């Protein structure tokens, strides 16, 4: 499980600017950790529908501290891929695995972040 600041640092490496430009997006995605202290907290926002909800909530694009336009959806996709072993599931896939008590690797295995050695 990666901390939101680590995801934000990964965003800064990928899209430019500072980690502070991105932390609000990663905090929102991981806010559900306070609801459920297991990696399955991701079932509420770590999916394609959650990424689109994030875009509606925060707008489709913003300017980072380098003056570069960043697409909110791309930041969401980066976060979900890093947390779900390179995969972006749908909300339905999450409910299916919870109902059937399955544990595919994308539901439990995180990716190594780009800036980590
Ligand atoms: Zn996350």
């Amino acid at each position: 499980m990666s901390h939101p600041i680590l995801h934000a640092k990964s965003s800064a490496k990928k899209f430019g600017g500072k980690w502070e430009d991105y932390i609000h997006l990663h905090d929102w995605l991981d806010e559900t950790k306070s609801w459920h202290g297991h990696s399955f907290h991701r079932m509420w926002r770590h999916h394609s529908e959650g990424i689109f909800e994030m875009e509606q909530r925060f707008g489709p694009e913003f300017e980072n501290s380098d003056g570069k336009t960043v697409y909110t959806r791309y930041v969401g996709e980066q976060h979900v891929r890093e947390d779900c072993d390179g995969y972006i599931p749908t909300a339905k896939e999450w409910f299916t695995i919870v109902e059937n008590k399955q544990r595919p690797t994308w539901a439990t295995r995180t990716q190594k972040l780009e800036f980590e050695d």
Side-chain angles (χ1 to χ4, degrees):
M1 218 179 280
S2 294
H3 193 280
I5 291 175
L6 296 176
H7 284 294
K9 288 180 177 179
S10 181
S11 294
K13 180 173 173 117
K14 188 175 183 75
F15 303 111
K18 301 180 295 191
W19 68 267
E20 292 91 340
D21 298 334
Y22 306 96
I23 190 64
H24 63 295
L25 300 172
H26 299 293
D27 277 343
W28 182 80
L29 281 167
D30 282 344
E31 184 179 47
T32 58
K33 283 180 185 172
S34 68
W35 305 351
H36 185 63
H38 182 277
S39 64
F40 277 18
H41 83 87
R42 297 175 186 140
M43 71 182 283
W44 283 284
R45 293 181 179 164
H46 289 53
H47 43 65
S48 51
E49 292 85 351
I51 293 168
F52 275 75
E53 183 183 344
M54 186 174 89
E55 187 179 53
Q56 289 175 341
R57 186 179 187 95
F58 296 100
E61 63 182 36
F62 60 97
E63 191 173 289
N64 69 16
S65 57
D66 284 345
K68 184 179 168 196
T69 298
V70 179
Y71 297 103
T72 305
R73 191 184 311 168
Y74 292 174
V75 178
E77 289 172 355
Q78 168 233 321
H79 183 119
V80 173
R81 282 197 179 103
E82 288 171 348
D83 274 354
C84 298
D85 198 28
Y87 186 62
I88 299 176
T90 64
K92 183 179 179 186
E93 284 178 287
W94 274 113
F95 286 107
T96 300
I97 66 167
V98 169
E99 276 179 357
N100 297 327
K101 298 184 178 171
Q102 298 170 345
R103 295 202 174 198
T105 55
W106 62 260
T108 55
R109 188 184 305 161
T110 59
Q111 281 192 321
K112 187 174 177 180
L113 300 182
E114 286 183 28
F115 66 90
E116 292 178 324
D117 292 325

